[in-house]
Amino acid sequence: IEEYYNELSMSHQDFVRSAKVMCDKNKQTKKLAADYHVKSYPVFIVFKDGDVSNRWDGADKGKLESSFERLMGSGPGSRGKKKKGSGRSKRR
């Protein structure tokens, strides 16, 4: 799953910020793992506007890909499909 995550991260880097944290490397990353209740790897945590919007444990390529796609369609200036009923044009 790591290779697929890296591929998605690179191909979406203009639209989605992503980070990989190895939670057992030092005190800071161990605290981060404790704060987010990470018990095993991999864990994917999706943030939107600073809040956790999705989380799952395990190597699920479908969830990973759909999360990137949803994030691409929800950000300012995104290239994603227009949301139904949004009333806004994607181009300004």
Side-chain angles (χ1 to χ4, degrees):
I1 193 83
E2 183 176 9
E3 288 180 24
Y4 191 61
Y5 167 81
N6 291 338
E7 179 183 316
L8 286 172
S9 295
M10 292 301 294
S11 65
H12 293 80
Q13 68 183 350
D14 292 337
F15 307 101
V16 176
R17 282 189 281 173
S18 59
K20 181 172 34 175
V21 178
M22 304 305 285
C23 292
D24 58 355
K25 294 297 180 188
N26 59 49
K27 287 181 183 179
Q28 289 176 318
T29 58
K30 287 179 182 180
K31 182 178 180 336
L32 188 63
D35 290 348
Y36 287 98
H37 310 287
V38 173
K39 304 290 183 206
S40 62
Y41 299 117
V43 173
F44 294 92
I45 304 172
V46 179
F47 294 88
K48 184 172 180 185
D49 300 323
D51 296 317
V52 174
S53 66
N54 195 5
R55 175 199 170 111
W56 69 93
D57 297 338
D60 188 322
K61 283 185 172 183
K63 284 183 181 179
L64 186 59
E65 183 174 13
S66 66
S67 289
F68 272 85
E69 294 301 322
R70 273 196 307 276
L71 289 168
M72 277 186 53
S74 66
S78 68
R79 293 187 328 174
K81 293 180 181 177
K82 184 176 177 182
K83 292 182 180 178
K84 198 173 191 177
S86 70
R88 288 185 173 181
S89 170
K90 290 292 180 190
R91 293 188 181 180
R92 292 181 184 230

